[in-house]
Amino acid sequence: MSTVAHNSHITPFLWFDNNAEEAARFYTGIFPNSRILETVPNQTGTSPATAAVLLVHFELDGTRFTALNGGPQFPFNESISFVVHCATQAEIDDYWERLTAEGGSEVQCGWLKDKYGVSWQVVPAHISQLARSRKAMQALMQMKKLDIAALERAAQE
């Protein structure tokens, strides 16, 4: 018989150099229903000496995350990203602007990197439906920040 709890949850765990708390505050300032849950002081000596906090537990719109000040060993890359599903163009514009602020960068096809190097996809809520259209996908491939109206027009062609 398994001893694993059936109500377990999966929590994204993000490895930062020494700015996990700063990043958690940045993210919780962007997404609604978000908050810092707990900070764990750095008492182990295993995290960079400049980080007063070892771990930060936080929620982004109800999804729990953990951030670690672990040092510069493991930088973020595009192989993992977080998808933000948006109902309107105004939402896409707002998340895009806020996530690319202060040194973030636009990538391609609705992808961006924030100032910490974390990859995000800011997409229409109905992206799967739009992706069924070859012309909409061709239009998407030419965009950085996605334009819902243009994608919908392309899907109608």
Side-chain angles (χ1 to χ4, degrees):
M1 180 174 219
S2 173
T3 59
V4 176
H6 292 286
N7 62 352
S8 65
H9 298 277
I10 296 171
T11 303
F13 192 98
L14 305 173
W15 182 298
F16 290 86
D17 183 359
N18 65 359
N19 52 1
E21 186 173 19
E22 174 188 313
R25 293 195 188 288
F26 176 73
Y27 300 137
T28 57
I30 292 175
F31 294 95
N33 307 310
S34 299
R35 62 193 174 125
I36 303 289
L37 299 169
E38 177 185 19
T39 58
V40 177
N42 180 12
Q43 299 176 5
T44 66
T46 60
S47 186
T50 58
V53 171
L54 179 64
L55 296 169
V56 181
H57 303 288
F58 61 103
E59 286 182 355
L60 298 181
D61 204 12
T63 299
R64 187 177 174 138
F65 287 74
T66 298
L68 165 75
N69 281 319
Q73 291 91 337
F74 304 110
F76 294 110
N77 66 53
E78 294 80 1
S79 66
I80 298 289
S81 63
F82 297 104
V83 181
V84 182
H85 298 273
C86 301
T88 66
Q89 188 65 48
E91 278 186 276
I92 286 176
D93 295 346
D94 183 56
Y95 284 123
W96 192 267
E97 180 181 324
R98 294 169 81 181
L99 286 166
T100 58
E102 302 172 35
S105 61
E106 297 181 344
V107 182
Q108 191 71 27
C109 306
W111 290 56
L112 62 87
K113 275 192 168 189
D114 67 31
K115 65 182 179 178
Y116 302 102
V118 175
S119 291
W120 298 83
Q121 296 178 56
V122 182
V123 301
H126 62 304
I127 190 67
S128 292
Q129 178 185 353
L130 292 168
R132 290 185 175 104
S133 163
R134 183 178 56 80
K135 290 199 177 204
M137 284 304 296
Q138 288 173 339
L140 181 143
M141 297 299 284
Q142 302 304 312
M143 298 177 185
K144 288 189 178 186
K145 178 177 70 174
L146 300 185
D147 179 331
I148 295 174
L151 293 171
E152 289 174 343
R153 280 192 304 274
Q156 297 302 315
E157 292 179 8

